[in-house]
Every structure is written in C-alpha cells, then in structure tokens.
Amino acid sequence: MDDLDLDSIPAPYHSVLRRMAAAVEDRAVTPAVAIKVIREHLVPLLSDVHRPLISIQGQPSWDKIRTLYPALVFASESQQEQLLAAIGRMIELFVRHTDRPPREIEFPPFIEVFSFSRLCGYLGVPIAKPLLEIDEGTGDLYRFCKYCWLPVRRKDVCAFHTTIVIGAVDASSQPACAHISLKQAQRLRAVFEQKVLALATRDEMEFHQSGFGLPALLPPSGLTQWLDARRPHLARLVRNQAGASANGLRILSTVLYGEELGARVVEAIGGAVYLWTPITTRAEGWLAAWAAKSPRGGARRRATKLLEE
C-alpha cells in the first residue's frame, strides 16, 4: 500500500483497496487468487447491469484480468459512471502491486479480437482463428496490419502499408484501405485505434446490458441489416458495390480484401460467418476514423471518390 498512488481513486474507496491488500497479506498472488479477491471486494460495489464487466471466461490469467481495467474505464466514459473508472483503477493497482517489482500492465494488441473471444465465451461459440495461405506461408487473418485490417505480410504491416513499392494493381481488386497513401495511414493510426477500441467496448457493453441477447456477432443471415445497425460506414461501402454481385458476403469480402484475396478469405472462413466480426470491427473503426478527418488535403480528395460515394 505504501507504493500506491491513490490520488486517482476517490477517498471512500481507499478502504476497499486496503481490505483487498489485507486479504492477500504476504501470500503469493496468482491469477486465481486475484480474481477471487476482485470478485469478493469489487463486484458487490457494482449494479447488476455492470457486474458482467468484471467477468472472465475459463482459467484465470493475468492477461484476462488486465483487460478488465480498460473495459471499465471506457465504460465509465461512455456512461459517465465515475464508479466504473474507480473500480477499473483499483483493479489496475491491485494487479500491478501484488508483485515486486510491480507487474507491467500491457494493453491487448488487438482489443477487437480479445473482445470477440470474450463474446464467444459467453455464448459458448467455438473460437477459431481463420488461417489463409499467402505467399509467405500460412497467415493468420487476426494478426492485423497496424494501419488497417489486412493480414500482416512483414514487420507488422500489410502488403499495401509498406515502404516497398508494389506493382500497379487495378482499383477494383484493391481493399478499401489501400486507396490512401502510407503517410495518410500513419496519420490516421491514433484515431483509428481509438475508434476500434470504442466500437469493441460499445458492442460488448450493449451485449451485457441486453442480457446476452444482442446479436453482437456477425450472423449467417441478415448480413445487410446487421451491417446497417452495427457497422454503418462499412455498410455504405458494401451497398455501393451491390451492383457487382448478388452475394452480400462476397461483396463484403471484396470491399475488405479486394476481389482475389477476398474470394480466398471467404473460402478460408467458410460457413463460420461470425469469424468476420473482429475484422468488421477493425474495418468500421478505420472507416469511422477516415470519416472524422478534415476534408482538406490532396490525399483525402483522391480517396474521397473511392471511400465515401
């Protein structure tokens, strides 16, 4: 307790953190012990609506517990619930300072994938990563380029967001994110990540608040309606391509990956349509970030026709 910075926690909750510290005393704190203490001391402070925010599926681990903190913080911002932020901060301090030196708190690299896995756990849906054969071997579609939703090819970037010049490619065969320059993608990154985080958090919170009844995962039917409701920017691009094919999933794959790669992705995912969910989360975040940009700038003007009409 002597090492803690309590300024970010309202004074009434200092005693709660002290009780949590007393509950573990000098024992080694494992993830199982940590989640037990969190449930005993922090969950009772929450309303029934918010209690699912402190929930992990399967065997407790530090990675799973660490994600509770950002989820609570962002939930507090969207609902203006300061109690959620205080509890999130207490979880962060408890996790960090039950070891010496303090544990590092690392944010999950792809929050949209982590959130998707949590939703699958709640629903009892099998979790799988769609794999795709690419030039460099087998690629994981969930190992995203840091600038977009395409799979990584080299050094954390996709084939389009690299300094290596690629040959001329027909515009119709390019994914939506390939229509801007690398510099534009780099400038977009911070807002893009914020939008993805906000979207993943919103989907998961609304899922909890609906009593686990919200269709948060992309459904095998009703694709257009789901996109309109959950991914409006992406839905607009899909509608713009509607004349090319009657198959909605094929159109979605073309918008996201281009014609050739998109067809291979559809084949790789097969009938497990819900596996598209984290991909569409990331794409919607990217498009929302693009839409929020200033209308000024030559690079934006060149991409406007392709991304916004």
Side-chain angles (χ1 to χ4, degrees), residues 49-71:
V49 171
H50 292 135
R51 287 185 180 185
L53 289 170
I54 302 184
S55 176
I56 62 173
Q57 297 297 307
Q59 185 71 22
S61 69
W62 289 122
D63 285 339
K64 292 178 181 179
I65 294 173
R66 286 184 184 113
T67 62
L68 300 178
Y69 165 58

Side-chain angles (χ1 to χ4, degrees), residues 186-205:
Q186 291 171 335
R187 292 169 185 160
L188 197 67
R189 185 182 179 188
V191 178
F192 162 46
E193 291 177 345
Q194 292 171 8
K195 295 287 187 181
V196 170
L197 181 57
L199 180 57
T201 302
R202 184 208 69 181
D203 279 358
E204 191 164 354
M205 283 191 59

Side-chain angles (χ1 to χ4, degrees), residues 13-293:
Y13 299 112
H14 293 185
S15 60
V16 177
L17 202 54
R18 290 190 175 90
R19 288 197 294 272
M20 293 171 70
V24 297
E25 296 181 333
D26 295 328
R27 290 185 294 156
V29 179
T30 65
V33 170
I35 196 63
K36 182 175 183 292
V37 172
I38 289 169
R39 285 170 176 162
E40 288 178 352
H41 294 270
L42 298 182
V43 170
L45 302 178
L46 293 171
S47 66
D48 291 342
V49 171
H50 292 135
R51 287 185 180 185
L53 289 170
I54 302 184
S55 176
I56 62 173
Q57 297 297 307
Q59 185 71 22
S61 69
W62 289 122
D63 285 339
K64 292 178 181 179
I65 294 173
R66 286 184 184 113
T67 62
L68 300 178
Y69 165 58
L72 284 158
V73 170
F74 278 90
S76 72
E77 292 180 355
S78 64
Q79 298 188 18
Q80 298 183 349
E81 288 273 1
Q82 293 305 308
L83 169 62
L84 299 181
I87 291 178
R89 178 62 173 153
M90 283 191 279
I91 291 175
E92 181 201 19
L93 291 174
F94 184 70
V95 170
R96 280 182 57 81
H97 293 281
T98 48
D99 197 14
R100 285 186 181 276
R103 293 184 180 89
E104 291 299 321
I105 301 292
E106 296 182 359
F107 202 71
F110 298 117
I111 186 61
E112 62 279 8
V113 176
F114 196 92
S115 177
F116 168 71
S117 297
R118 284 166 60 94
L119 291 176
C120 288
Y122 290 125
L123 295 170
V125 176
I127 301 173
K129 290 184 179 181
L131 302 178
L132 182 71
E133 291 298 324
I134 56 178
D135 295 339
E136 293 80 7
T138 301
D140 180 354
L141 286 176
Y142 291 171
R143 185 168 173 252
F144 300 111
C145 168
K146 62 185 178 182
Y147 298 121
C148 66
W149 60 85
L150 297 178
V152 164
R153 288 298 180 94
R154 60 180 68 84
K155 295 184 179 180
D156 297 328
V157 295
C158 64
F160 292 95
H161 296 133
T162 174
T163 55
I164 299 174
V165 178
I166 62 175
V169 182
D170 180 69
S172 66
S173 65
Q174 291 186 12
C177 57
H179 294 296
I180 67 172
S181 68
L182 174 59
K183 282 189 176 180
Q184 283 292 102
Q186 291 171 335
R187 292 169 185 160
L188 197 67
R189 185 182 179 188
V191 178
F192 162 46
E193 291 177 345
Q194 292 171 8
K195 295 287 187 181
V196 170
L197 181 57
L199 180 57
T201 302
R202 184 208 69 181
D203 279 358
E204 191 164 354
M205 283 191 59
E206 290 183 2
F207 173 75
H208 287 303
Q209 292 169 348
S210 71
F212 309 104
L214 179 77
L217 305 184
L218 197 150
S221 61
L223 170 65
T224 301
Q225 294 84 353
W226 188 88
L227 289 174
D228 284 338
R230 314 302 303 175
R231 309 287 187 265
H233 292 88
L234 187 54
R236 184 172 63 249
L237 285 188
V238 169
R239 283 195 300 272
N240 290 346
Q241 296 285 334
S245 169
N247 186 318
L249 193 57
R250 184 70 70 179
I251 300 170
L252 175 65
S253 69
T254 299
V255 168
L256 293 176
Y257 294 101
E259 290 180 355
E260 181 181 349
L261 181 58
R264 291 161 56 195
V265 172
V266 169
E267 184 178 353
I269 291 180
V273 178
Y274 66 94
L275 294 179
W276 287 91
T277 302
I279 300 170
T280 63
T281 302
R282 197 165 178 85
E284 179 68 16
W286 191 95
L287 292 168
W290 175 260
K293 281 179 60 62

Side-chain angles (χ1 to χ4, degrees), residues 1 32 178 211 216:
M1 288 293 295

